Each structure stands twice: as structure tokens, then as C-alpha cells.
Amino acid sequence: LKRRGIHNRAIKRFALGYSPDYNQLVDYLKSQGHIEDDLVMAGLCSKNKEGRYYDVFGTRLMIPIINNFNEVIGFGGRSLVGTDFAKYRNTSATMVFDKSKTIYAINELKKAKQNARIEYIILCEGYMDVIAMQMAGYNTAVASMGTSLTYEQAKILNRYAPLVYICYDGDAAGQKATLRGLDILEENGLEV
């Protein structure tokens, strides 16, 4: 985080953490009386071929996903070691977390709206983009949980501001997603 220029205030504000291995979370939650099947249902753990439960976010930077009621509903994990696995991983779909209906940092956007009228939203592609934008003073930056903006997410954004700036990555996928996002946002009554 320090190498990326993320300062301590941002680490605390966004409650960033770390999952050091594949066992500590499972062992801790079991010691607190939770059963393994509930950990799987919560999207925190999985079972390997040998039948052993493990932390699906092991060795990752942990990014809590918080709803507009300030409740943690899921996690994003960013790999910190070279693996064959995806660089980013989200909590799998659960009863409280649906990636297609979730906006990262919506809780921060709600705080901003409670303090003043919001003129615009900056829609980013990922967690770290939002954190960087927020550190730079753009307190209306949020992310669409990847490049696949949905109609449900656009409806949520429409409750907060009339104008959205799309700030996705400049690669081919980001450009394609920007064009798709323009249509979805405009169809939901937003100026883009």
C-alpha cells in the first residue's frame, strides 16, 4: 500500500486489511462457534478436493465492500503474491452481496450527499482507483465492481447525482465498457 502511495488515513478510512494465509480465518471463525458450511455460504471459505476448508482470500489485500447502511456485505481481495489465480477476487454471490447490484464506496457517496449537494459522480473501474481518487479529494468517486456496469447500478447512481463521469481504464476492455456504460447511464436518465 505504501508503494502505491496509499496513506494510513486511507487505509483506516477504507478498512483495508490482509489475509495472511488460508487457515487463520477458518480456525478463528470456528473457534467463535461458526460452522464451516456457514463460512462457505458467506463467501469466505471453500472446500478443497481433500475436504479441507480454506480462506478463499488467503494471502490477499482485503477490501471490505460496504453498503449504504455502512454494513460490510462482502470483500474484494487483491493478490499480493504471484499465483495462477486471478489478481482480484470478490466474495461470491450471497444473500446480502450481489455484485451486479452493488456500488463500491456507496457509503462514502452517501456521506458526501449528507454533507452537501452532489453535482457529479466519478465512476471508476476498481477499488484502488476509487481510493486514489478519494485521496485526491474527489469524494464522489465510486466503482461499478469491474467493467460490467448494470442497469441496477445505474439506478442507484441516479439517486445521488444527475451527472456521471466514467473513468475506466484506457485499455480495450475499458473503452468497450465505457461505451456500454454511456448507454446504460443515459437510459437511466443520467447525463454522462
Side-chain angles (χ1 to χ4, degrees), residues 6 14 42 83 86 96 99 107 121 165 169 179:
I6 309 296
F14 291 95
T83 67
V96 296
K99 182 177 166 180
N107 60 318
I121 295 168
Y165 291 98
D169 292 350
L179 294 174

Side-chain angles (χ1 to χ4, degrees), residues 162-182:
L163 173 64
V164 176
Y165 291 98
I166 299 177
C167 188
Y168 286 164
D169 292 350
D171 59 13
Q175 290 176 20
K176 182 178 176 183
T178 297
L179 294 174
R180 184 175 174 275
L182 287 167

Side-chain angles (χ1 to χ4, degrees), residues 66-72 107-108 110-111:
I66 301 169
N67 67 13
N68 62 331
F69 299 110
N70 226 31
E71 302 164 327
V72 175
N107 60 318
E108 295 294 325
K110 183 178 179 181
K111 286 178 202 170

